[in-house]
Amino acid sequence: MRRQLPNPRELAPLMRFSKPTLNRTTARLAKAADIADVRRIARRVTPTGPFDYVDGAANSEESMRRNTEAYRNLELRPTVLRDVGEVDLSTEVFGQRSELPVGLAPTGFTRMMHAAGEPAVARAAQSAGVPYTLSTMGTTAIEDLAAQVPDARRWFQLYSWREDRDRARGLVERAQENGYDTLMVTVDTATGGLRYRDHRNGMTIPPQLTARTLVDASYRPRWWFDFLTTEPLRFATLSSSAGDSMDVIMKTFDPTLSWADIEWIREVWAGPLLVKGIQTPSDAQRALDAGCDGVYLSNHGGRQLDRAPVPLAELPGIREVLGPDVPIIVDSGITSGVDVLGALALGADFTMIGRAYLYGLMAGGQRGVERVLDILRAELQVGMQLLGVRSVDELGPQHVRLDHRAPRD
């Protein structure tokens, strides 16, 4: 092997050093290649209790594992030799365009994950051109979010207050008056799921300063500084007082909620209405009979019933029952753009993410959520090009098999 000294002119193009940055959050996020990387950052900078509240699920967490396993078992089937020089990632959902076939699902206690809370998530959604859903259990009030992020497309998620339908009606009316264009009613929370990680961590809402949490805080000082120097954590839409507790949560979950309640909500709400938590074909049909404009397949990310049906697995059967024209949204287990493509090919019109963007919020506030959406956008674009499709509408059953291990016909 002959050796020679490198030519300086040939060496110069190889000398590309990244510009140093003093902002550690920016540097960390820039290095995150996928959502798993974002999750690892979130775990490093967030106390164990709040992180496990997001990361965990009910009981043995089997539902959560089955959700993610279903996506891993998908086989995507490309068509080749198609002009995919340009692909369109946008889609229409309830009469408006979304720049991605992905929205941000409702999550409670968002300011517990990062002090910037719901406004930061809504701003990231606005920047990406996708809808954001405020939860009844949110830590920013309906009116405050509308005032702080007026140009974001905002949806509202309703828990029907136990034994107080007038209060639920008031929430619906407040959302409508403040420009929220779509309402989803969560129906898989007759009671709260048993989340053992929270029990083992001694998790309270808001988090309490104990000897254990003080040790945890010693190497996550930024989170605690933000938590202690901003307004107290509260369920802003439900009350104006601080110190709301798990008792409030359990009173909100309503074991008496029925299809009759969906019908009166339909009478109050003028915009698109869907129920979140559909897990069977028969309930999907009941939702339409009750006046819903679409259905939202979800097992709450595995956080409610352990060993619940997997939404992705139920999707083809529910699409067959509802026909081609009823909007179907799906969540639970989506951790990549490839997952989104699989759900769309199996019959979903739109997808939602929860844990994925909360990892981003914990990792870096608004910038972290934006990074998650950037990652999904890149994965969607490359995935569509490799599948040989130019638009979301071209995706269909021919592009996917639900289980790559299943015997072929």
Side-chain angles (χ1 to χ4, degrees), residues 32-320:
D34 60 9
I35 291 173
D37 286 344
V38 177
R39 177 184 176 276
R40 281 188 281 271
I41 298 169
R43 188 168 195 168
R44 287 202 303 269
V45 301
T46 309
T48 301
F51 177 83
D52 275 357
Y53 177 80
V54 172
D55 197 57
N59 298 78
S60 65
E61 303 190 349
E62 184 62 28
S63 286
M64 181 172 66
R65 282 191 288 271
R66 292 182 184 182
N67 288 343
T68 55
E69 183 180 3
Y71 282 98
R72 289 172 184 160
N73 287 338
L74 285 179
E75 178 181 87
L76 297 181
R77 303 174 64 78
T79 52
V80 298
L81 296 176
R82 306 224 26 225
D83 180 359
V84 288
E86 293 185 9
V87 295
D88 182 4
L89 307 181
S90 69
T91 191
E92 183 176 297
V93 55
F94 295 120
Q96 296 187 42
R97 300 299 291 179
S98 174
E99 293 303 314
L100 300 174
V102 183
L104 304 188
T107 58
F109 328 119
T110 310
R111 284 189 54 242
M112 183 173 67
M113 319 315 164
H114 190 284
E118 288 89 354
V121 180
R123 291 188 186 100
Q126 178 185 330
S127 178
V130 302
Y132 167 66
T133 312
L134 177 67
S135 171
T136 295
M137 309 305 294
T139 46
T140 301
I142 291 170
E143 296 81 3
D144 292 343
L145 185 68
Q148 292 183 49
V149 198
D151 296 326
R153 185 180 182 189
R154 300 180 309 279
W155 296 358
F156 184 67
Q157 173 269 336
L158 176 70
Y159 286 116
S160 181
W161 196 265
R162 186 188 301 185
E163 299 177 356
D164 192 349
R165 296 296 189 260
D166 288 340
R167 194 168 189 179
R169 179 188 294 267
L171 294 178
V172 172
E173 292 172 345
R174 286 167 60 191
Q176 197 153 268
E177 290 166 1
N178 284 273
Y180 293 72
D181 66 76
T182 298
L183 178 69
M184 62 178 69
V185 183
T186 296
V187 295
D188 60 351
T189 52
T191 188
L194 294 173
R195 299 168 191 171
Y196 294 153
R197 285 204 221 184
D198 294 346
H199 180 78
R200 294 180 184 119
N201 289 331
M203 180 64 184
T204 61
I205 298 172
Q208 303 296 309
L209 285 170
T210 64
R212 182 175 179 177
T213 56
L214 284 172
V215 172
D216 198 48
S218 65
Y219 52 97
R220 295 173 174 108
R222 177 62 183 270
W223 186 96
W224 282 103
F225 177 78
D226 288 342
F227 175 72
L228 295 172
T229 59
T230 55
E231 63 177 304
L233 192 66
R234 62 188 179 89
F235 303 130
T237 287
L238 297 180
S239 73
S240 58
S241 63
D244 296 303
S245 68
M246 293 299 289
D247 291 337
V248 175
I249 304 170
M250 296 311 296
K251 289 177 181 177
T252 302
F253 293 160
D254 186 356
T256 70
L257 190 69
S258 70
W259 289 109
D261 295 297
I262 302 302
E263 292 171 0
W264 75 253
I265 291 171
R266 173 73 284 174
E267 295 175 2
V268 176
W269 179 258
L273 173 67
L274 60 154
V275 286
K276 176 180 181 289
I278 294 296
Q279 299 172 60
T280 64
S282 59
D283 277 346
Q285 184 60 58
R286 287 289 302 274
L288 295 189
D289 296 341
C292 291
D293 299 290
V295 297
Y296 187 150
L297 311 188
S298 173
N299 64 19
H300 223 101
R303 297 169 63 80
Q304 286 295 104
L305 177 65
D306 201 23
R307 296 172 176 80
V310 174
L312 185 73
E314 297 296 320
L315 175 57
I318 291 175
R319 171 54 74 195
E320 183 177 358

